[in-house]
Amino acid sequence: MNKISPRRGFFKLLILLIIAVFLLWYFKVDVRGFADSTEGQAIIAKGKDLWYVLWDKILKEPALYLYNFFINTILPTIQSHLLNPSTPTVQGVQ
């Protein structure tokens, strides 16, 4: 049975970003000039609006759940193990 790694999507995105940066460099695309232009500003504004909608409608609830789960469950467990380490015992070793 093949298991899909949750990190697989992150690495694909990272590779795509590296390829995109390389292509922009190779074709000498002026990203700063585009971002400073009025068209670039309009596209950036639409992207920000899209991000806010995605955050409010889709991403906010799962992100807050994971944050609260980490703060309320995992972090206290880690702190208790760091502050009160139990000494492991190995049979036959004195």
Side-chain angles (χ1 to χ4, degrees):
M1 180 188 268
N2 292 336
K3 289 189 177 185
I4 297 174
S5 172
R7 297 179 131 189
R8 195 168 165 184
F10 175 74
F11 288 122
K12 281 184 182 179
L13 180 64
L14 186 63
I15 290 171
L16 283 174
L17 286 174
I18 291 171
I19 291 171
V21 168
F22 175 76
L23 288 174
L24 289 172
W25 170 79
Y26 182 76
F27 291 114
K28 296 178 175 55
V29 175
D30 184 18
V31 177
R32 183 173 292 179
F34 175 75
D36 290 339
S37 70
T38 55
E39 289 179 10
Q41 291 293 324
I43 291 172
I44 291 170
K46 286 181 183 178
K48 284 173 46 176
D49 291 341
L50 177 64
W51 169 253
Y52 292 138
V53 169
L54 284 174
W55 175 257
D56 284 338
K57 303 276 183 190
I58 298 171
L59 300 173
K60 185 177 185 179
E61 214 171 303
L64 289 176
Y65 172 79
L66 290 173
Y67 174 79
N68 287 328
F69 178 75
F70 178 77
I71 294 297
N72 296 328
T73 305
I74 296 176
L75 191 60
T77 304
I78 292 172
Q79 287 175 341
S80 69
H81 284 291
L82 289 176
L83 296 176
N84 300 322
S86 60
T87 55
T89 58
V90 178
Q91 292 181 345
V93 178
Q94 295 180 3

